[in-house]
Amino acid sequence: MTPLSPHAHGYVLVDRRTTSEDGPDAVDACFLALRDGGWRRALDIDGLQVWLGPRSRLKAVQVHRRHVLIGDWRGGARSLASLIGESRSAIEIARRAVDNGWGRYVLAWIDDATDALALLRDPSGALDCVWWRTGGVTVATAEPPPELDPLWPDHVGIDWTTLADYLENVAVIADRLAVRGLSPVRPGELVVTGAPSVAHEIWSPAAFCRRQRDWDDDPAALEAVVDQTTAALVSGHRHIVAELSGGLDSSVVAAGLVAAGRAKDAVFINYYGNRSEGDERLWAAETAETLGVSLEYAAKAAAAVTIRQLMGPGQSLRPGLNGLDMAYDADMARRAEAAGATGILSGQGGDAVFHYAADPDIIVDRFRRLGPRALSPAWLTRMAHWTGTPAWALACRAFRVTPQSRPEGGHHWSDAEGLPPAKAGQLRALANVQLFWGDALRARQAELLQPLLAQPVVEHCLRIPVDVLTRGARDRALARQAFAHRLPARLIERRGKGDLTQHYGRVVHASLPLLRPFLLEGELASRRLIDTVEMARALDENALIRHPASNRRLIAAALEAWTRTWLARLERRRRQVAIQPRDNALVELPDVARTGEGVAFPESRQQGRFPVETIQGAEEAPQPGPVQIAFDEKGRGPDPGRSVKRASVDIGLGRKGQRPADASLTRLGPAGD
């Protein structure tokens, strides 16, 4: 299998209408390099351009005067063009687009009010979008290709505070960037990239829940929305790989694929662990038989990870934790390539959307909705059995008032102020599963098709109170009822689910010789973002036996790999910009001479050009930063006194698009002896 880059299947949107006079040559050079790398310019609307990667399956279409749709927007009777035509502001355009359609898209246009680029990202988060401005050019992309690194802002760098937040709460990865200088557009957000830029929240789970008062808890309604969403997602793919894990969520999605008449175009695959708790082949086989589909099986290898496997997910702008199960991820990518599949279908997100958690706070939500009727003895008994909480404790809990707020440093979707606690928990779970849209080898090979994370299914389930989603005090009870007539009875009544904790523990155990030095002597440790004493204990063999839950170790390793990869990429970019800066039209420098040239000091008493001496070591790789430049006039001219003039110049990076007022050598001032 040929290694794929994370950006090859993406897009680049660039607004070149206001390119600075000094910038066009450098911008052209970057996009010529992009073209040479297999990218193609799909649209050019008066300087608003869309480029698509060499493996991109995204559509880029002009939908109105200066409005571009990247990806897929699926509406009802109204076209996107008509909705835009009736709108009088950027916010109105965004709201109409979100309220009347769904999909995997970025909608971009030139805002009439500000003449700035406006960017709307779809609420599901399926297609990423980050943007920056430099030299009068505004660039937006899902994954910045290296060819555009010279166009990054001067202050680009690692945001160590955000990276520390990643270590504390991985959900933040889908919410904020740990690369300073690039700005994310969040799911459901509109950003008008003016000066200054302005962000508007058009859609969020909490805002949606606060607005909704009606819901449809008919199981047939849930069945219909899952089937319709699945059919729509697979409609553009001739061949599909579908994962059938043996659990409820993947079985529901597989049933939707069968209902769409597309099972014949799919390869169904089950991955299993070598321990009973991670082996769901019997459940998957029974589901496949019920649905009338063939099923392939693949064992999950518990082999040690390699440095190459670790560094792969680190290439993407957001750390690729979606590919943390590295052997599975690589095998799924290979199978998709072998099958010629352009889509990989899964039931990811079902635990959040259908509500899996046995949360005692469900009683609080129910009591707020029904009052004393919520305290039915029969319901309390079932709830006590499910949650392991005594019935009397649940009854007392119903009267508790717990204000909901966003956890410090967490995903902004966790802001559930005013919502009941179990619904707030569902929102936190939904924030966590946003990671399933992240980079992975299989995501580079084929589009991830995840119906349960699509806007129609998410909104349908967000409307429904949690105690109704779990009616009868069962996890995902409404979903079970909705698909009971299409899936095996044993699966519908099943109480447990597969557990791969032991599997990941064995992967970490086999990988200890690599992980110990990689983490304890790495970048995160050197910056004290991880406690090396605590991590050393966690990487002890005895600790793995006592506490096999090992995701924390693998997550830390993935973040260490990301940090090393991006530090190296940023360093390459600095050297690329620093080498012969006069040749880069975006970089303006004062009149600083290269080795072997002369330099004039206009304020010198003795005019002319003076030789420039090479400083020892200067021929080695330069480190960009402020450089002190001095001119010693001792013994020159009629005044025998000594005068030293100095200036501080950022000779490495220069300044893009403007010349700093204090950087001219003509402003050299006396520095004394």
Side-chain angles (χ1 to χ4, degrees):
M1 176 180 172
T2 304
L4 302 174
S5 64
H7 56 268
H9 58 280
Y11 68 91
V12 169
L13 174 73
V14 56
D15 178 9
R16 299 192 58 179
R17 296 173 304 126
T18 57
T19 306
S20 63
E21 292 183 2
D22 296 320
D25 290 344
V27 175
D28 286 342
C30 289
F31 280 90
L32 283 173
L34 207 62
R35 187 190 64 187
D36 291 343
W39 288 68
R40 62 183 178 87
R41 189 168 63 187
L43 280 178
D44 189 344
I45 306 171
D46 299 327
L48 182 62
Q49 299 177 355
V50 180
W51 293 70
L52 297 178
R55 291 182 55 86
S56 181
R57 299 186 70 257
L58 293 168
K59 301 172 186 174
V61 295
Q62 181 178 359
V63 291
H64 207 258
R65 292 181 299 112
R66 299 191 294 177
H67 302 69
V68 173
L69 177 70
I70 302 170
D72 295 295
W73 181 90
R74 299 174 175 88
R78 303 291 305 280
S79 69
L80 188 55
S82 66
L83 295 171
I84 293 171
E86 295 173 0
S87 303
R88 299 185 177 182
S89 68
I91 293 178
E92 191 173 352
I93 290 174
R95 285 179 176 159
R96 285 176 179 266
V98 168
D99 291 344
N100 291 276
W102 65 278
R104 175 180 179 247
Y105 65 87
V106 170
L107 179 63
W109 67 96
I110 305 302
D111 177 39
D112 290 335
T114 63
D115 199 41
L117 179 65
L119 299 166
L120 171 68
R121 184 179 171 197
D122 92 82
S124 76
L127 185 59
D128 209 344
C129 183
V130 300
W131 71 278
W132 68 92
R133 186 185 299 109
T134 182
V137 175
T138 303
V139 182
T141 181
E143 194 69 55
E147 290 88 346
L148 299 188
D149 290 3
L151 299 184
W152 284 350
D154 287 344
H155 60 287
V156 68
I158 301 294
D159 185 332
W160 299 104
T161 300
T162 298
L163 188 55
D165 288 339
Y166 287 178
L167 286 160
E168 293 294 323
N169 181 358
V170 295
V172 178
I173 292 173
D175 193 47
R176 303 203 303 273
L177 296 179
V179 176
R180 187 179 63 251
L182 310 184
S183 302
V185 181
R186 292 164 162 171
E189 186 175 68
L190 164 70
V191 173
V192 181
T193 65
S197 62
V198 180
H200 305 275
E201 183 185 88
I202 303 301
W203 189 99
S204 74
F208 181 83
C209 290
R210 294 186 193 107
R211 291 196 305 266
Q212 299 305 313
R213 293 293 181 269
D214 300 322
W215 67 85
D216 189 345
D217 60 354
D218 184 350
L222 177 58
E223 178 188 15
V225 73
V226 170
D227 283 350
Q228 292 164 9
T229 303
T230 304
L233 285 177
V234 302
S235 62
H237 300 271
R238 292 183 60 187
H239 301 289
I240 303 156
V241 173
E243 184 173 3
L244 189 56
S245 69
L248 177 67
D249 303 330
S250 65
S251 299
V252 163
V253 171
L257 184 63
V258 171
R262 297 298 308 280
K264 65 182 183 303
D265 304 315
V267 174
F268 291 86
I269 178 73
N270 170 262
Y271 287 91
Y272 62 92
N274 60 5
R275 301 273 299 245
S276 59
E277 68 273 10
D279 187 347
E280 298 185 276
R281 280 178 289 180
L282 293 177
W283 301 98
E286 190 170 350
T287 300
E289 183 179 358
T290 300
L291 296 176
V293 300
S294 300
L295 184 61
E296 298 178 7
Y297 301 92
K300 276 182 172 284
V305 299
T306 66
I307 191 68
R308 182 176 180 180
Q309 286 176 316
L310 276 176
M311 300 306 285
Q315 296 173 349
S316 53
L317 184 59
R318 302 181 194 265
L321 298 193
N322 193 24
L324 198 59
D325 190 341
M326 297 169 193
Y328 152 77
D329 185 42
D331 187 75
M332 179 64 88
R334 283 193 295 268
R335 289 176 183 272
E337 181 183 36
T342 56
I344 297 176
L345 185 70
S346 77
Q348 297 281 28
D351 284 355
V353 175
F354 295 151
H355 205 281
Y356 174 79
D359 185 356
D361 277 337
I362 293 174
I363 184 63
V364 182
D365 292 36
R366 180 177 169 87
F367 186 76
R368 288 190 189 182
R369 187 171 66 86
L370 298 176
R373 289 186 297 134
L375 305 180
S376 156
W379 187 86
L380 283 173
T381 299
R382 292 193 299 270
M383 191 69 179
H385 177 74
W386 180 34
T387 64
T389 305
W392 63 267
L394 288 171
C396 294
R397 196 183 193 96
F399 296 92
R400 190 184 70 177
V401 177
T402 306
Q404 300 300 314
S405 60
R406 174 182 169 183
E408 189 67 25
H411 193 294
H412 83 286
W413 275 6
S414 299
D415 179 5
E417 184 178 356
L419 297 179
K423 181 59 74 173
Q426 186 183 23
L427 266 56
R428 288 192 294 273
L430 191 60
N432 288 336
V433 297
Q434 284 291 299
L435 290 174
F436 293 136
W437 292 121
D439 182 43
L441 294 180
R442 63 190 188 280
R444 300 177 192 181
Q445 181 63 44
E447 181 182 344
L448 300 183
L449 308 175
Q450 300 174 146
L452 305 186
L453 290 177
Q455 187 179 344
V457 177
V458 170
E459 287 187 344
H460 185 89
C461 293
L462 285 179
R463 288 187 177 96
I464 302 173
V466 173
D467 65 295
V468 177
L469 287 171
T470 59
R471 59 173 54 167
R474 283 289 310 274
D475 68 88
R476 302 167 291 180
L478 187 61
R480 294 176 190 275
Q481 292 181 12
F483 287 87
H485 62 294
R486 294 163 61 180
L487 296 174
R490 283 205 323 137
L491 176 69
I492 295 298
E493 296 302 322
R494 184 184 180 189
R495 291 283 177 176
K497 64 184 303 182
D499 185 359
L500 291 170
T501 300
Q502 296 291 337
H503 167 78
Y504 294 125
R506 289 192 296 278
V507 171
V508 171
H509 185 273
S511 308
L512 286 178
L514 169 64
L515 292 179
R516 285 193 185 109
F518 191 72
L519 286 171
L520 300 180
E521 302 169 14
E523 295 290 344
L524 299 179
S526 69
R527 287 168 171 79
R528 299 184 179 180
L529 295 186
I530 60 174
D531 185 328
T532 53
V533 175
E534 180 184 342
M535 183 58 70
R537 293 195 191 105
L539 294 173
D540 180 76
E541 292 189 29
N542 293 325
L544 284 172
I545 294 172
R546 293 192 302 270
H547 306 289
S550 305
N551 270 358
R552 186 170 64 90
R553 290 97 157 176
L554 288 176
I555 288 170
L559 294 179
E560 172 67 29
W562 181 90
T563 304
R564 295 188 188 192
T565 300
W566 277 83
L567 284 174
R569 181 169 174 178
L570 290 167
E571 178 60 22
R572 286 194 300 271
R573 184 258 179 192
R574 278 192 287 266
R575 296 189 181 200
Q576 183 180 5
V577 174
I579 293 174
Q580 304 297 337
R582 290 174 181 243
D583 297 335
N584 188 335
L586 280 183
V587 179
E588 292 189 2
L589 288 173
D591 190 12
V592 176
R594 297 187 179 91
T595 301
E597 294 180 353
V599 61
F601 287 80
E603 290 187 357
S604 169
R605 297 184 183 92
Q606 183 174 335
Q607 296 300 314
R609 299 191 69 83
F610 301 94
V612 176
E613 297 180 7
T614 302
I615 301 173
Q616 185 175 2
E619 69 278 3
E620 298 174 0
Q623 294 298 318
V627 175
Q628 292 290 329
I629 298 176
F631 174 58
D632 187 348
E633 288 188 312
K634 184 177 181 180
R636 299 182 184 276
D639 184 356
R642 184 181 183 188
S643 176
V644 179
K645 300 179 185 297
R646 293 187 176 92
S648 178
V649 183
D650 193 345
I651 193 173
L653 288 177
R655 301 292 184 195
K656 286 187 177 179
Q658 61 181 357
R659 184 188 301 275
D662 63 349
S664 174
L665 292 181
T666 62
R667 292 181 173 82
L668 283 169
D673 291 342

